[in-house]
Amino acid sequence: MDEAARVAMLARVLGSEVRAAGVELGIGDDAAVLQVAALGGERLVWTIDEQVEGTHFRREFASWRDIGWRSFMAAASDVAAMGARARAALCALVLPDDLDDAALEAIAMGQRDAADATGAPVIGGNLARGPVLSLATTVLGACSSRAVRRSGGMPGDGLWLAGDVGLAAAGLRAIEKGALGEARLAAAVEAWRRPRARLDDGLAMSAVAHAAVDVSDGLARDVGHMATASGVRIVFDEAALRADTALAAAAAALGVDALELALHGGEDYALVIASPRPVAGFRAIGAVTEGAGLALRSAGAERALEPRGFDHFAAR
Amino acid sequence: MDEAARVAMLARVLGSEVRAAGVELGIGDDAAVLQVAALGGERLVWTIDEQVEGTHFRREFASWRDIGWRSFMAAASDVAAMGARARAALCALVLPDDLDDAALEAIAMGQRDAADATGAPVIGGNLARGPVLSLATTVLGACSSRAVRRSGGMPGDGLWLAGDVGLAAAGLRAIEKGALGEARLAAAVEAWRRPRARLDDGLAMSAVAHAAVDVSDGLARDVGHMATASGVRIVFDEAALRADTALAAAAAALGVDALELALHGGEDYALVIASPRPVAGFRAIGAVTEGAGLALRSAGAERALEPRGFDHFAAR
């Protein structure tokens, strides 16, 4: 298909006649148009994320539809972490010559699935040719009052988690090993292939939490950003991190340490908040104290923890 | 530099403490935050564009700073074409291993130049590693009333142009030929390396024009989209297209036909409108009539014109 035919196909799959709140003009013009009054908030929360073949995924590890879904959810998760509602998305696709029309349509179907699940339709984008597949997704959200930043954590806050951490990393290892028939790994594989932006949890915490991040590059690394931005020390509770039974089962099947996966595995898109009180849907995994850096508390003892995780540009 | 150091450098170059209208939170959190009330419009106009090395530019053809500038302006031009003000931008960069920190900083400086020229600061983004450099830029604009679409052209409208067409394509040919010392090509080379999104012209036409497009893929191709979307026939005036003296000089220096460059050369980011009356800054280049497709009028005679131009996925 030429460019016009591809745009027409994408408009059909993604919904050329989008009737979401505030969408006045969708795919097919120079830009999309949104009505401000219908966005339902005084503030816009706006993010962009990009997934690149070979860096973020390999086509033999997930279906095209999964790849569309994952790339959308990775971007929407940033909106969840600010405590906002996702309203709409645009996607810029770079397509290599060996990606056929059926693959492009499947990617768009995965994006549509994710758009339906989040309530944020894809209302525009860009197509370009290039040597490697990439998907750049920008999501616009709205919130009625303040957005929850990384920087507001205070000594005395509890550290709370919504969702799994480490499970997606276990799933990726299972896929790499070809261990897809193992029942104890099924939830992990699903976690990697079909992560969910936790938008409802984000709304639930938005009026209470002092600080929030989503876990894309690993718990220690992302919460390390929160500790630095907030000027506090954050202490994880080892027993709490080991309490995830799906993670424990997957770690046992892989023969790896569940704690290592929980602290340093990424791509689960869990939410972590520093909050003075509990929030429904979140479980306690630690505490915020005075000081700096990260620590792990195990059986009463505490040791410092490196905020390592996924870094695209770490020394290599 | 690792990822954190690169983000810190980008925040410094792009302006970590952005004080533009409505920007509440810039680079460094999960998402940027904008205050809706300060955006100054009832509608948001939102676009994304991506430039990929090897497809849109070659590093030996432009400086890193030019590459940053061009990629920003290509996205901002879509906002101009809707008749909106550009308010803010995000940029997702995919960086290959052979791109050093100085190159990244120069790219950011080019983006900052373009942001300053348009009044739309870069307030966030994403960094990822990949095999080839790409820059995905999303720009958010605002307009007080309607956005000007491609689809509103009416028989009886005039066709009007702000900016040059064909000059950037002449500049690219000059660069490819290494003909940079030729005085007649200087304006063309500058047009390719430093295009400008015509935001002021976009505002000027917004209350008058029935339809508008920006010329990124070639005049015939982009105006062809306007003709199709509007359900009209659009007739170019050959003499008007040949009246650009800078284009005529560049075409003569290259030994090519100025009309061919004007009709089918892209990347000038001129604006074309279908309008019932003149708009300051725009010159007449044709007319909108009943029918379909494109035509060229020369010395009283009219011939049909193919809407060809740049297509990433044309049969090959």
Side-chain angles (χ1 to χ4, degrees), chain A residues 3 6 24 29-30 32-34 36 42-44 46 50 55 97 129 150 214 311-313 316, chain B residues 3 6 24 29-30 32-34 36 42-44 46 50 55 97 129 150 214 311-313 316:
Chain A
E3 193 166 333
R6 287 189 156 184
E24 188 173 294
D29 214 301
D30 288 310
V33 181
L34 292 158
V36 168
E42 294 157 26
R43 284 171 177 77
L44 300 176
W46 187 24
E50 185 155 13
T55 299
D97 288 350
R129 192 179 169 194
R150 297 177 174 183
D214 69 320
D311 183 331
H312 280 289
F313 308 107
R316 49 181 184 268
Chain B
E3 194 166 332
R6 287 188 156 184
E24 187 173 294
D29 214 301
D30 288 310
V33 180
L34 293 158
V36 168
E42 294 158 27
R43 284 172 177 76
L44 300 177
W46 186 24
E50 185 156 13
T55 299
D97 288 349
R129 192 178 167 194
R150 297 176 173 183
D214 69 320
D311 183 329
H312 280 289
F313 309 106
R316 51 181 184 267

Side-chain angles (χ1 to χ4, degrees), chain B residues 58-69:
Chain B
R58 288 166 55 182
R59 57 178 84 181
E60 63 270 31
F61 285 3
S63 71
W64 294 120
R65 196 159 178 161
D66 290 336
I67 288 166
W69 170 282

Side-chain angles (χ1 to χ4, degrees), chain B residues 27 35 47 71 98 107 109 128 138 168 180 187 220 242 250 266-267 288 303 315:
Chain B
I27 292 169
Q35 291 170 347
T47 188
S71 63
D98 68 347
I107 289 170
M109 289 169 71
T138 177
L180 298 179
R242 289 190 181 279
E267 301 189 300
V288 181
R303 63 178 172 86

Side-chain angles (χ1 to χ4, degrees), chain B residues 6 9-10 22 49 58 60 66 75 169-170 178 197 222 232 245 264 273 281 287 313:
Chain B
R6 287 188 156 184
M9 182 274 286
L10 292 172
D49 188 78
R58 288 166 55 182
E60 63 270 31
D66 290 336
D222 290 311
V232 297
T245 52
H264 304 298
I273 59 172
F313 309 106

Side-chain angles (χ1 to χ4, degrees), chain B residues 116-243:
Chain B
D116 288 347
T118 58
V122 178
I123 61 172
N126 189 70
L127 291 180
R129 192 178 167 194
V132 62
L133 174 65
S134 72
L135 306 93
T137 308
T138 177
V139 180
L140 199 59
C143 58
S144 47
S145 56
R146 72 192 181 111
V148 184
R149 305 180 182 197
R150 297 176 173 183
S151 56
M154 295 174 66
D157 285 345
L159 191 72
W160 313 81
L161 172 72
D164 297 298
V165 286
L167 203 58
L172 179 57
R173 291 192 193 198
I175 295 167
E176 287 172 340
K177 293 176 68 168
L180 298 179
E182 165 68 73
R184 290 177 297 172
L185 293 169
V189 169
E190 181 73 5
W192 188 80
R193 288 190 172 156
R194 290 275 170 160
R196 285 183 173 269
R198 307 190 74 87
L199 289 152
D200 290 342
D201 292 323
L203 288 177
M205 64 83 182
S206 64
V208 180
H210 288 155
V213 291
D214 69 320
V215 182
S216 52
D217 296 331
L219 184 66
R221 184 171 170 86
D222 290 311
V223 173
H225 292 316
M226 181 193 282
T228 302
S230 299
V232 297
R233 179 174 179 86
I234 296 181
V235 184
F236 295 106
D237 182 81
E238 180 175 338
L241 295 180
R242 289 190 181 279

Side-chain angles (χ1 to χ4, degrees), chain A residues 67-84:
Chain A
I67 288 166
W69 170 283
R70 299 178 80 245
S71 63
F72 187 106
M73 287 296 185
S77 179
D78 285 330
V79 172
M82 306 296 284

